[in-house]
């Protein structure tokens, strides 16, 4: 065991942050902690979702004295329209990430910047999409699949191809409710049209479209993002890495990759290993080049290359505050514009690379699939050359670091759990061993925990404390996004140490399978992996998804993408627990549609619970899992 090899508490992380904020004070740096204070109290109308600025007659705000907007829309219509727009902001973003991946797939060629790393998966999907594969060169097939995938965004007729992966029962529910997702762009455009002034103001219709748009993300854009990232960069397998701010290296050039699209980070990782770049770093007095990640990009490169994870969403300023970050290289989504002015307080280069995410005070090196090698090399060189500009007195890297085993794609989970509850050879390649663990009671159930950090919740505390509670109760936890990094930072993905948090059953499973009790499934788009896992569990057991003792949870979510995710998770049949209200508390009707017995539950057999008391949320979730077990008689 190394001296850093341990479980890390939220208190230790908070102490590290406090020391970094002191570093920031020396150079006059701003921080999100300060900006939260400046923004508090928040606008009550915004929080309740009761402010409408969809047309220029307003803004209209609903109060007991003014119960309708100027157009006559009531509070339920206003809250509902806001909710739908909130959802499709996320659908558009996630799915556009998936679209970029499809364009990268189209650019692949033998010996090109991008090649096919998982040809079997490409062929499998091509067959699933009823495409001819025989006798085709793999790159010819990749181009055809890329075009077909891109058509999923705008095809005039039909529904999402991947929606057929859902169990029959789920597909039937979607068909009955009229929410089988059509072309992704159509769902987003229709939502924007529905919420235009003078269109829909009926909560039922707005919620209906929110579910359909969400499904076009989960079973469309996000799923393509995941599946074809695997085709391009390799399907994740378990791999060991480290997490938390201590992964930054005092004597090395530190390049932090942040954002979402692995097309950029893969190339940065590649060029950071280039002997020419390493020699350059050494010639400038560094011991080498250390790439580490923040947010979902961290997940992408950790699970494919074992690149360390410096932190999650609310740690992004911390990496700059260490004074040891030569460059923070970003692509799209979840990037604080604050990184521009903050990096100016240190020697850090803030490098933006996508026209989708342009920010002040950044150096823009546009990245594209065609010139990826050139761009990545320029980025790495800029970072390395910046090492000499460090101010040694400002370097403060907190001594906190945990081991993490990551990379549990569905394929990997199926493989590692085979033989735990049932060692029959014919079960290989199915989820039956996992199901047997659940039906026998060795595991009580599973929770899919996802989502961001949000200053409204003590950062990482809800993720980590809920996870510990589930582990103690023999509930296995699968994670993605910033929730995954919260777990990794605390040591909950350490296959040896994290067992201390487990109940006897889960501990046994972890020991037999050599897995941590919290399984890292990837980034935000990889929540689609969780959908596939739920679908396979349902097909292998013959039990509808909604009846399985499996729940979704986003205790610290903050982004529009998280709302889109919530909609597709719940519409897939998983009861979903949120720790932050999605700005709907101003409407009792919207509350009933989303959380009641007579709303979406009638369509998809699942609904939301919003609970800001984390302890209570954990208890409710365990009760729900036990109730589902009792209903199944297991
Ligand atoms: S990065 S959407 S803060 S999980 Fe995917 Fe994290 Fe949430 Fe962004």
């Amino acid at each position: 065991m190394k001296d850093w090899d341990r479980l890390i508490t939220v208190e230790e992380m908070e102490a590290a942050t406090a020391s970094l904020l002191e570093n920031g004070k020396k150079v006059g740096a701003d921080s999100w902690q300060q900006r939260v204070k400046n923004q508090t109290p928040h606008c009550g109308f915004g929080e309740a979702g009761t402010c409408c600025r969809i047309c220029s007659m307003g803004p209209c705000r609903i109060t007991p004295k003014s119960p309708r907007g100027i157009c006559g829309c009531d509070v339920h219509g206003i809250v509902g329209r806001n909710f739908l727009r909130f959802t499709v902001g996320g659908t558009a973003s996630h799915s556009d990430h998936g679209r970029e991946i499809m364009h990268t797939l189209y650019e692949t060629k033998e010996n090109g910047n991008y090649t096919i790393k998982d040809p079997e998966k490409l062929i499998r999907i091509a067959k699933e999409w009823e495409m001819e594969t025989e006798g085709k060169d793999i790159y010819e097939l990749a181009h055809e699949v890329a075009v077909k995938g891109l058509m999923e965004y705008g095809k005039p007729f039909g529904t999402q191809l991947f929606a057929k992966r859902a169990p029959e029962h789920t597909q039937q529910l979607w068909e009955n409710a009229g929410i089988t997702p059509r072309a992704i762009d159509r769902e987003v455009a229709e939502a924007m049209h529905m919420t235009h002034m003078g269109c829909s103001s009926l909560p039922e219709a707005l919620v209906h479209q929110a579910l359909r748009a969400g499904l076009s993300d989960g079973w469309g854009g996000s799923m393509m993002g995941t599946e074809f990232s695997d085709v391009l960069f390799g399907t994740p397998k378990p791999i060991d890495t480290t997490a938390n701010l201590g992964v930054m290296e005092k004597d090395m050039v530190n390049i932090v990759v942040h954002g979402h699209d692995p097309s950029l980070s893969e190339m940065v990782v590649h060029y950071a290993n280039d002997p020419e770049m390493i020699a350059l770093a050494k010639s400038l007095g560094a011991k080498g080049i250390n790439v580490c990640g923040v947010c979902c990009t961290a997940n992408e490169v950790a699970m494919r290359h074992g690149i360390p994870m410096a932190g999650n969403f609310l740690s992004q300023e911390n990496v700059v505050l260490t004074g040891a970050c030569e460059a923070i290289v970003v692509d799209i989504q979840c990037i604080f514009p604050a990184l521009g002015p903050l990096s100016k307080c240190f020697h850090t280069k803030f490098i933006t690379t996508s026209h989708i995410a342009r920010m002040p005070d950044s150096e823009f090196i546009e990245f594209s699939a065609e010139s990826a090698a050139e761009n990545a090399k320029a980025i790495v060189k800029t970072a390395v050359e910046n090492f000499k500009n460090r101010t040694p007195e400002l370097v403060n890297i907190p001594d906190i670091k945990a081991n993490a085993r990551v990379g549990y794609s569905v394929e990997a989970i199926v493989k590692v759990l085979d033989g735990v509850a049932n060692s029959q050879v014919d079960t290989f390649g199915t989820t039956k061993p996992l199901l047997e663990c659940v039906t026998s009671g060795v595991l009580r159930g599973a929770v899919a925990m996802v989502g961001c950090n949000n200053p409204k919740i003590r950062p990482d505390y809800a993720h980590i404390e809920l996870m510990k509670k589930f582990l103690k109760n023999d509930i296995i936890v699968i994670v993605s996004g910033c929730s995954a990094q919260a777990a990794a930072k605390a040591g909950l993905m350490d296959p040896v140490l994290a067992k201390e948090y487990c109940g006897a059953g889960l501990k046994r499973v972890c020991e037999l399978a050599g897995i941590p009790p919290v399984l890292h499934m990837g980034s935000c788009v990889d929540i689609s992996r969780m959908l596939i896992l739920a679908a396979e569990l349902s097909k292998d057991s013959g039990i509808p998804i909604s009846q399985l003792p499996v729940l979704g949870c986003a205790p610290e979510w903050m982004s529009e993408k998280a709302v889109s995710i919530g909609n597709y998770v719940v519409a897939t049949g998983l009861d979903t627990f949120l720790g932050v209200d999605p700005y709907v508390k101003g409407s009792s009707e919207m509350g009933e549609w989303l959380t009641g017995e007579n709303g979406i539950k009638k369509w998809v057999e699942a609904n939301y619970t919003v609970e800001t008391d984390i302890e209570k949320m954990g208890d409710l979730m365990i009760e729900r899992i036990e109730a589902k077990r009792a209903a199944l008689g297991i």
Side-chain angles (χ1 to χ4, degrees), residues 57 92 95 126 140 166 168 173 175 203 232 282 311-312 335 347 350 395 454 458 463 472 563 574 579 595:
M57 293 192 291
S95 295
E140 184 190 352
E168 282 294 326
L173 289 176
E175 184 150 340
L232 282 161
K282 289 188 174 165
N312 44 359
I335 301 146
H347 74 301
F350 175 41
V395 173
N454 186 323
R458 187 176 167 189
H463 288 299
K472 197 168 142 210
V563 188
L574 294 165
T595 65

Side-chain angles (χ1 to χ4, degrees), residues 198-248:
C199 290
S200 289
S201 51
L202 189 68
E204 176 176 349
L206 296 161
V207 169
H208 183 269
Q209 182 59 14
L211 292 184
R212 182 155 58 173
L215 285 171
S216 77
D217 173 3
W219 293 87
S222 275
M223 200 167 279
M224 283 194 278
T226 294
E227 294 288 65
F228 294 106
S229 290
D230 286 357
V231 167
L232 282 161
F233 309 118
T235 301
K237 299 186 186 82
I239 185 168
D240 288 335
T241 186
T242 49
N244 220 321
L245 286 164
V247 304
M248 296 185 71

Side-chain angles (χ1 to χ4, degrees), residues 259-260 295-296 299 312-313 333-334 450-453 480-483 485 523-524 558-559 561-562:
H260 283 79
C295 276
C296 280
N299 292 317
N312 44 359
F313 180 63
Q333 301 167 10
C334 305
V450 304
C452 329
N453 301 124
S480 76
C482 290
S483 184
Q485 286 145 16
S523 63
C524 303
M558 64 85 206
S559 74
K561 287 182 294 170

Side-chain angles (χ1 to χ4, degrees), residues 167 414 427 429-435 532-543 548:
V414 165
T427 62
T430 76
T431 61
K432 283 180 186 160
L434 179 55
L435 280 165
I532 295 170
L533 183 60
E536 291 306 308
L537 286 167
S538 170
K539 287 180 205 168
D540 286 343
S541 64
I543 300 168
L548 292 168

